[in-house]
């Protein structure tokens, strides 16, 4: 699947490898804009909407092999032969799957607050209830959607994040497919051992990389993994501590 994308050329002449940014669940290509902006000063940057998100096509299929192949097809279309990848959450898992589907083209990985691990906890039950409530109500205005969301969710930051994908009375993401494949999204099939440089950045307050089993999963699959912690930040660490995250990324990418 050829994905919707924005491809930004570096503001100055450079020979750096292009950087691909992959957003997380319920997101879109704009979500990592605060990371894209400083990178564009020195590298070409590709921002994409993954399948069933943003302005990319909807599909009943939703697994990490398919999503990684979508990235590769889009890169081939743009004639990008070698690249670095930065992924957040679900986007980080797509990036990790690229170590198998695009091993000869992939250089460095930066993975934001996600381990190569099959999580068991469902963090999105109420989110899906809110999304389906808005969808079933067939409301047209953002205010009506907001009122419904607030009756089911008490995290205003989450509500506003989700509403970025509400347009003309519809969710841009495919709520039905995301719900049906939620176990695939939080799950994981371990990849072959990856020996290239890999940076994991975790939020100090986030549960996604907080346990020994998460760190052991990283060690098994990524032999050159570095782990950095951004204190006083949660799962959306790049939005909460943008400057610190960008500085860590800048030090790592060559």
């Amino acid at each position: 699947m050829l994905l919707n994308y924005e491809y930004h050329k570096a503001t100055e002449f450079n020979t750096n490898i292009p950087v691909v940014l992959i957003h997380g669940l319920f997101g879109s290509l704009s979500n990592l804009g605060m990371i894209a902006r400083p990178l564009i000063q020195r590298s070409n940057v590709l921002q994409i909407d993954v399948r069933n998100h943003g302005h990319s096509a909807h599909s009943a299929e939703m697994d990490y092999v398919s999503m990684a192949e979508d990235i590769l097809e889009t890169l081939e279309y743009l004639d990008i032969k070698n690249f670095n990848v930065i992924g957040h959450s679900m986007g980080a898992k797509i990036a990790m799957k690229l170590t198998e589907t695009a091993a000869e083209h992939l250089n460095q990985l930066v993975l934001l607050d996600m381990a190569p691990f099959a999580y068991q906890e469902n963090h999105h039950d109420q989110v899906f209830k809110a999304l389906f409530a808005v969808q079933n109500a067939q409301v047209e205005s953002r205010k009506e959607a907001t009122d419904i969301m607030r009756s089911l969710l008490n995290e205003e930051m989450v509500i506003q994040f989700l509403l970025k994908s509400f347009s003309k009375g519809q969710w841009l993401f495919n709520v039905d497919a995301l719900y049906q494949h939620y176990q695939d999204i939080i799950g994981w099939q371990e990849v072959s051992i990856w020996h290239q440089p890999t940076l994991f950045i975790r939020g100090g307050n986030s549960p996604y990389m907080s346990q020994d089993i998460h760190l052991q999963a990283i060690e098994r699959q990524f032999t050159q993994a570095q782990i950095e912690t951004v204190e006083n930040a949660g799962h959306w660490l790049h939005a909460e501590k943008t400057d610190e995250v960008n500085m860590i990324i800048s030090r790592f990418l060559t």
Side-chain angles (χ1 to χ4, degrees):
M1 179 188 293
L2 184 62
L3 301 170
N4 181 58
Y5 66 86
E6 290 180 6
Y7 191 33
H8 308 277
K9 296 297 182 74
T11 54
E12 300 177 4
F13 174 78
N14 75 95
T15 57
N16 294 327
I17 294 172
V19 181
V20 182
L21 302 182
I22 311 177
H23 65 79
L25 182 62
F26 305 121
S28 67
L29 60 78
S30 65
N31 292 156
L32 299 182
M34 67 282 291
I35 293 176
R37 284 187 283 276
L39 288 173
I40 292 167
Q41 296 175 21
R42 63 176 192 171
S43 303
N44 294 347
V45 174
L46 178 66
Q47 295 172 263
I48 54 124
D49 288 330
V50 305
R51 67 168 56 198
N52 291 321
H53 290 75
H55 294 286
S56 286
H58 288 188
S59 171
E61 248 184 281
M62 189 83 182
D63 59 72
Y64 285 113
V65 173
S66 299
M67 289 189 281
E69 288 174 349
D70 293 342
I71 304 291
L72 192 54
E73 181 178 338
T74 306
L75 289 165
E76 288 172 349
Y77 174 80
L78 293 167
D79 197 30
I80 299 173
K81 302 202 184 320
N82 296 292
F83 50 89
N84 296 324
V85 180
I86 300 173
H88 171 243
S89 194
M90 180 186 75
K93 283 189 168 179
I94 299 171
M96 288 185 265
K97 184 57 70 173
L98 284 167
T99 63
E100 291 188 329
T101 59
E104 66 274 24
H105 304 287
L106 181 57
N107 185 37
Q108 291 177 296
L109 279 175
V110 178
L111 307 165
L112 302 179
D113 208 57
M114 184 58 55
F117 179 80
Y119 296 89
Q120 302 300 317
E121 303 86 358
N122 185 335
H123 294 284
H124 298 97
D125 267 345
Q126 282 301 117
V127 169
F128 277 115
K129 285 179 184 176
L131 296 177
F132 279 120
V134 171
Q135 183 168 283
N136 294 337
Q138 298 183 322
V139 297
E140 292 292 328
S141 74
R142 182 176 291 264
K143 182 184 183 308
E144 290 173 301
T146 303
D147 289 343
I148 293 171
M149 300 282 278
R150 284 177 177 158
S151 72
L152 293 164
L153 294 172
N154 57 14
E155 296 176 82
E156 189 64 24
M157 186 180 80
V158 173
I159 292 170
Q160 295 307 317
F161 166 73
L162 294 167
L163 286 169
K164 289 179 180 179
S165 292
F166 185 75
S167 177
K168 299 177 182 177
Q170 294 185 325
W171 294 114
L172 293 178
F173 40 69
N174 185 346
V175 182
D176 296 283
L178 299 183
Y179 182 75
Q180 289 163 10
H181 291 280
Y182 185 74
Q183 292 304 316
D184 296 320
I185 293 167
I186 66 172
W188 184 246
Q189 295 292 323
E190 293 203 356
V191 294
S192 303
I193 297 173
W194 180 247
H195 297 291
Q196 295 295 99
T198 308
L199 173 64
F200 289 82
I201 310 177
R202 63 181 177 179
N205 297 337
S206 171
Y208 285 95
M209 291 177 59
S210 61
Q211 300 180 37
D212 287 343
I213 49 176
H214 302 150
L215 304 182
Q216 289 160 6
I218 291 171
E219 290 173 4
R220 282 196 306 274
Q221 296 164 79
F222 295 89
T223 60
Q224 290 198 48
Q226 303 174 34
I227 300 175
E228 297 276 356
T229 302
V230 177
E231 299 295 347
N232 302 312
H235 189 54
W236 286 278
L237 65 168
H238 53 290
E240 298 171 50
K241 299 278 187 175
T242 302
D243 291 343
E244 186 174 347
V245 170
N246 282 336
M247 188 177 301
I248 295 169
I249 292 172
S250 178
R251 287 199 302 259
F252 177 76
L253 289 182
T254 56

